[in-house]
Amino acid sequence: MELEKEQAVVNLVKEAFEDAEADVQRARRVRIKIAPNRVFPLVAFLKANGFNHFVTITAVDWIKDGEIELIYHLWSYTRKVHVMVKTRIPRDGGKMPTLKPLFNQAETYERDVHEFFGVYFEGNEKLDRDFILEDWDGPPPMRKDFDTRRFAAEFYGQEDIESDLLKLKIQPYKGKLMQ
Amino acid sequence: MAKERPPKGLKGWAQGRSLWILQFCTGCGAVELPPVMTSRYDMERFGITPMATPRQADLLLITGYLTVKTLKRVIRSYEQMGEPKYVIGFGSCTVNGGMYWDSYNTIKRLDLYLPVDLYIAGCMPRPEAIIEAFNRLIEGIKQGKFNGWIRYKENLRWYKRNQAMIMDIRKWSIDKKLAEEVWREVQEERRKIFEQATVPHVYEYAERISEVG
Ligand code: SF4
């Protein structure tokens, strides 16, 4: 069979976690959906089974469902499979336990997601420190209800570009060019 | 006290012929500078050479988009440079935001925050355009046309106010007293903008994307 190693991971996960929905997306890609409180044991289980590269955490704002989807990416050098662990938490007041005890680098990725999506990770001590956006007072900018165009217009005084160009007083150069 | 004027004549010629640049390699523009420096275009024939620290540099190159976070460091570097000093903005990002015109974290017009002497249009400008700009700068300095740092000093409050609208200038300005004062002034306005940033939004494109799959 073509997708043997991927199917092996799916079976492994399904055996240990009955509540997980796992499927093969394509070659070298496996998706697993699971409830938020089961992410920690699942990632611990994966780590014990060869998935020792914790790649990153990404997030998707599903604004109509009122949920934020967190996606944990893991890679195994022995199995050569990329696993995406997906979970959904409520948009407002949703909390996730930190994965720092398993992978140290999770701390940094969680700070990143916290700043841009406003997700709170319980147990991450550095969460409230400034990371990428220094002294930002507004809402998390990657959430979909953040109107970036309007914000840019108000914050940076950006109006429509054409009239903006006319207002710029750039002096045309009238002297002779040096050769 | 006599009004400060940019150097002219012999002094201007000498100044223009020994520009040391501080390239603040932000954005994409930094990749255009190695060809300008090396043998093909060879900017050193004009006496232009890269310099390590702001205190030794005359010319600040802003090579592309600036995030607010970088702008803080740029302003700090600019204020440390010795006079006379000149600023060149590279690419459309420094003119009007370029392709980042609706981004929440890049500045749109560099000349609101720093006195820009020359802009080079393009995304990204070719080395020929950069050499052309250097030529104009040298020629203009000789005639005493560029006076960015004088404008900056004379309108310091205006520049500081613009800067304070987007960043906490207290940590990044050399004039701490003025920074504190201006910072306090703009608080109310800043708060309003941040408050309004969350508005209900219609995401029609989301549906269109699911239609095309
Ligand atoms: S003007 Fe174009 S090339 Fe230059 S920084 Fe902006 S996007 Fe990049």
Side-chain angles (χ1 to χ4, degrees), chain B residues 28 64-65 91-93 99-100 122-124:
Chain B
C28 332
Y65 59 78
S92 33
C93 279
M99 61 190 258
Y100 300 99
C123 175
M124 196 55 212

mmCIF file with all atom_site columns, all heavy atoms in Angstrom, chain B residues 28 64-65 91-93 99-100 122-124, ligand 1:
data_model
loop_
_atom_site.group_PDB
_atom_site.id
_atom_site.type_symbol
_atom_site.label_atom_id
_atom_site.label_alt_id
_atom_site.label_comp_id
_atom_site.label_asym_id
_atom_site.label_entity_id
_atom_site.label_seq_id
_atom_site.pdbx_PDB_ins_code
_atom_site.Cartn_x
_atom_site.Cartn_y
_atom_site.Cartn_z
_atom_site.occupancy
_atom_site.B_iso_or_equiv
_atom_site.pdbx_formal_charge
_atom_site.auth_seq_id
_atom_site.auth_comp_id
_atom_site.auth_asym_id
_atom_site.auth_atom_id
_atom_site.pdbx_PDB_model_num
ATOM   1  N  N   . CYS B 1 28  ? 12.934 44.537 2.026  1.00 0.00 ? 28  CYS B N   1
ATOM   2  C  CA  . CYS B 1 28  ? 13.584 43.747 0.982  1.00 0.00 ? 28  CYS B CA  1
ATOM   3  C  C   . CYS B 1 28  ? 14.769 44.473 0.394  1.00 0.00 ? 28  CYS B C   1
ATOM   4  O  O   . CYS B 1 28  ? 15.549 43.896 -0.343 1.00 0.00 ? 28  CYS B O   1
ATOM   5  C  CB  . CYS B 1 28  ? 12.593 43.432 -0.126 1.00 0.00 ? 28  CYS B CB  1
ATOM   6  S  SG  . CYS B 1 28  ? 10.888 43.365 0.398  1.00 0.00 ? 28  CYS B SG  1
ATOM   7  N  N   . GLY B 1 64  ? 13.245 49.908 2.787  1.00 0.00 ? 64  GLY B N   1
ATOM   8  C  CA  . GLY B 1 64  ? 11.990 49.177 2.626  1.00 0.00 ? 64  GLY B CA  1
ATOM   9  C  C   . GLY B 1 64  ? 11.020 49.419 3.755  1.00 0.00 ? 64  GLY B C   1
ATOM   10 O  O   . GLY B 1 64  ? 11.106 50.431 4.442  1.00 0.00 ? 64  GLY B O   1
ATOM   11 N  N   . TYR B 1 65  ? 10.089 48.464 3.907  1.00 0.00 ? 65  TYR B N   1
ATOM   12 C  CA  . TYR B 1 65  ? 9.050  48.684 4.915  1.00 0.00 ? 65  TYR B CA  1
ATOM   13 C  C   . TYR B 1 65  ? 9.640  48.728 6.312  1.00 0.00 ? 65  TYR B C   1
ATOM   14 O  O   . TYR B 1 65  ? 10.661 48.126 6.580  1.00 0.00 ? 65  TYR B O   1
ATOM   15 C  CB  . TYR B 1 65  ? 7.975  47.592 4.831  1.00 0.00 ? 65  TYR B CB  1
ATOM   16 C  CG  . TYR B 1 65  ? 8.490  46.197 5.039  1.00 0.00 ? 65  TYR B CG  1
ATOM   17 C  CD1 . TYR B 1 65  ? 8.769  45.716 6.305  1.00 0.00 ? 65  TYR B CD1 1
ATOM   18 C  CD2 . TYR B 1 65  ? 8.689  45.364 3.965  1.00 0.00 ? 65  TYR B CD2 1
ATOM   19 C  CE1 . TYR B 1 65  ? 9.248  44.439 6.491  1.00 0.00 ? 65  TYR B CE1 1
ATOM   20 C  CE2 . TYR B 1 65  ? 9.165  44.085 4.133  1.00 0.00 ? 65  TYR B CE2 1
ATOM   21 C  CZ  . TYR B 1 65  ? 9.448  43.626 5.394  1.00 0.00 ? 65  TYR B CZ  1
ATOM   22 O  OH  . TYR B 1 65  ? 9.923  42.372 5.574  1.00 0.00 ? 65  TYR B OH  1
ATOM   23 N  N   . GLY B 1 91  ? 12.077 52.585 -2.024 1.00 0.00 ? 91  GLY B N   1
ATOM   24 C  CA  . GLY B 1 91  ? 10.918 51.766 -2.393 1.00 0.00 ? 91  GLY B CA  1
ATOM   25 C  C   . GLY B 1 91  ? 9.588  52.356 -2.003 1.00 0.00 ? 91  GLY B C   1
ATOM   26 O  O   . GLY B 1 91  ? 9.488  53.267 -1.184 1.00 0.00 ? 91  GLY B O   1
ATOM   27 N  N   . SER B 1 92  ? 8.554  51.820 -2.601 1.00 0.00 ? 92  SER B N   1
ATOM   28 C  CA  . SER B 1 92  ? 7.227  52.387 -2.365 1.00 0.00 ? 92  SER B CA  1
ATOM   29 C  C   . SER B 1 92  ? 6.758  52.201 -0.930 1.00 0.00 ? 92  SER B C   1
ATOM   30 O  O   . SER B 1 92  ? 5.884  52.915 -0.464 1.00 0.00 ? 92  SER B O   1
ATOM   31 C  CB  . SER B 1 92  ? 6.216  51.787 -3.336 1.00 0.00 ? 92  SER B CB  1
ATOM   32 O  OG  . SER B 1 92  ? 6.536  50.469 -3.622 1.00 0.00 ? 92  SER B OG  1
ATOM   33 N  N   . CYS B 1 93  ? 7.321  51.247 -0.228 1.00 0.00 ? 93  CYS B N   1
ATOM   34 C  CA  . CYS B 1 93  ? 6.897  51.047 1.159  1.00 0.00 ? 93  CYS B CA  1
ATOM   35 C  C   . CYS B 1 93  ? 7.163  52.280 2.017  1.00 0.00 ? 93  CYS B C   1
ATOM   36 O  O   . CYS B 1 93  ? 6.428  52.563 2.942  1.00 0.00 ? 93  CYS B O   1
ATOM   37 C  CB  . CYS B 1 93  ? 7.610  49.855 1.765  1.00 0.00 ? 93  CYS B CB  1
ATOM   38 S  SG  . CYS B 1 93  ? 6.861  48.319 1.297  1.00 0.00 ? 93  CYS B SG  1
ATOM   39 N  N   . MET B 1 99  ? 3.004  47.664 -0.828 1.00 0.00 ? 99  MET B N   1
ATOM   40 C  CA  . MET B 1 99  ? 2.067  46.550 -0.765 1.00 0.00 ? 99  MET B CA  1
ATOM   41 C  C   . MET B 1 99  ? 1.614  46.266 0.657  1.00 0.00 ? 99  MET B C   1
ATOM   42 O  O   . MET B 1 99  ? 0.738  45.439 0.882  1.00 0.00 ? 99  MET B O   1
ATOM   43 C  CB  . MET B 1 99  ? 2.670  45.306 -1.412 1.00 0.00 ? 99  MET B CB  1
ATOM   44 C  CG  . MET B 1 99  ? 3.926  44.819 -0.761 1.00 0.00 ? 99  MET B CG  1
ATOM   45 S  SD  . MET B 1 99  ? 4.688  43.550 -1.774 1.00 0.00 ? 99  MET B SD  1
ATOM   46 C  CE  . MET B 1 99  ? 4.221  42.091 -0.893 1.00 0.00 ? 99  MET B CE  1
ATOM   47 N  N   . TYR B 1 100 ? 2.180  46.949 1.612  1.00 0.00 ? 100 TYR B N   1
ATOM   48 C  CA  . TYR B 1 100 ? 1.723  46.789 2.998  1.00 0.00 ? 100 TYR B CA  1
ATOM   49 C  C   . TYR B 1 100 ? 0.815  47.948 3.405  1.00 0.00 ? 100 TYR B C   1
ATOM   50 O  O   . TYR B 1 100 ? 0.800  48.342 4.554  1.00 0.00 ? 100 TYR B O   1
ATOM   51 C  CB  . TYR B 1 100 ? 2.916  46.691 3.934  1.00 0.00 ? 100 TYR B CB  1
ATOM   52 C  CG  . TYR B 1 100 ? 3.796  45.522 3.602  1.00 0.00 ? 100 TYR B CG  1
ATOM   53 C  CD1 . TYR B 1 100 ? 4.960  45.683 2.865  1.00 0.00 ? 100 TYR B CD1 1
ATOM   54 C  CD2 . TYR B 1 100 ? 3.432  44.250 3.995  1.00 0.00 ? 100 TYR B CD2 1
ATOM   55 C  CE1 . TYR B 1 100 ? 5.750  44.594 2.527  1.00 0.00 ? 100 TYR B CE1 1
ATOM   56 C  CE2 . TYR B 1 100 ? 4.219  43.159 3.669  1.00 0.00 ? 100 TYR B CE2 1
ATOM   57 C  CZ  . TYR B 1 100 ? 5.362  43.344 2.928  1.00 0.00 ? 100 TYR B CZ  1
ATOM   58 O  OH  . TYR B 1 100 ? 6.136  42.266 2.595  1.00 0.00 ? 100 TYR B OH  1
ATOM   59 N  N   . GLY B 1 122 ? 9.914  52.560 -6.589 1.00 0.00 ? 122 GLY B N   1
ATOM   60 C  CA  . GLY B 1 122 ? 10.170 51.230 -7.139 1.00 0.00 ? 122 GLY B CA  1
ATOM   61 C  C   . GLY B 1 122 ? 9.993  50.178 -6.079 1.00 0.00 ? 122 GLY B C   1
ATOM   62 O  O   . GLY B 1 122 ? 9.976  50.476 -4.899 1.00 0.00 ? 122 GLY B O   1
ATOM   63 N  N   . CYS B 1 123 ? 9.812  48.970 -6.526 1.00 0.00 ? 123 CYS B N   1
ATOM   64 C  CA  . CYS B 1 123 ? 9.555  47.907 -5.550 1.00 0.00 ? 123 CYS B CA  1
ATOM   65 C  C   . CYS B 1 123 ? 10.228 46.651 -6.055 1.00 0.00 ? 123 CYS B C   1
ATOM   66 O  O   . CYS B 1 123 ? 9.624  45.886 -6.727 1.00 0.00 ? 123 CYS B O   1
ATOM   67 C  CB  . CYS B 1 123 ? 8.058  47.695 -5.403 1.00 0.00 ? 123 CYS B CB  1
ATOM   68 S  SG  . CYS B 1 123 ? 7.589  46.335 -4.342 1.00 0.00 ? 123 CYS B SG  1
ATOM   69 N  N   . MET B 1 124 ? 11.471 46.519 -5.859 1.00 0.00 ? 124 MET B N   1
ATOM   70 C  CA  . MET B 1 124 ? 12.490 47.329 -5.231 1.00 0.00 ? 124 MET B CA  1
ATOM   71 C  C   . MET B 1 124 ? 13.229 48.158 -6.288 1.00 0.00 ? 124 MET B C   1
ATOM   72 O  O   . MET B 1 124 ? 13.301 47.739 -7.416 1.00 0.00 ? 124 MET B O   1
ATOM   73 C  CB  . MET B 1 124 ? 13.450 46.318 -4.565 1.00 0.00 ? 124 MET B CB  1
ATOM   74 C  CG  . MET B 1 124 ? 14.377 46.867 -3.553 1.00 0.00 ? 124 MET B CG  1
ATOM   75 S  SD  . MET B 1 124 ? 13.379 47.701 -2.334 1.00 0.00 ? 124 MET B SD  1
ATOM   76 C  CE  . MET B 1 124 ? 14.493 48.973 -1.876 1.00 0.00 ? 124 MET B CE  1
HETATM 77 S  S1  . SF4 C 2 .   ? 8.895  48.565 -1.681 1.00 0.00 ? 1   SF4 C S1  1
HETATM 78 FE FE1 . SF4 C 2 .   ? 8.647  46.445 -2.369 1.00 0.00 ? 1   SF4 C FE1 1
HETATM 79 S  S2  . SF4 C 2 .   ? 10.720 45.597 -2.354 1.00 0.00 ? 1   SF4 C S2  1
HETATM 80 FE FE2 . SF4 C 2 .   ? 10.727 47.450 -1.088 1.00 0.00 ? 1   SF4 C FE2 1
HETATM 81 S  S3  . SF4 C 2 .   ? 10.341 46.784 1.003  1.00 0.00 ? 1   SF4 C S3  1
HETATM 82 FE FE3 . SF4 C 2 .   ? 8.369  47.326 0.100  1.00 0.00 ? 1   SF4 C FE3 1
HETATM 83 S  S4  . SF4 C 2 .   ? 7.577  45.404 -0.711 1.00 0.00 ? 1   SF4 C S4  1
HETATM 84 FE FE4 . SF4 C 2 .   ? 9.762  45.106 -0.379 1.00 0.00 ? 1   SF4 C FE4 1
#
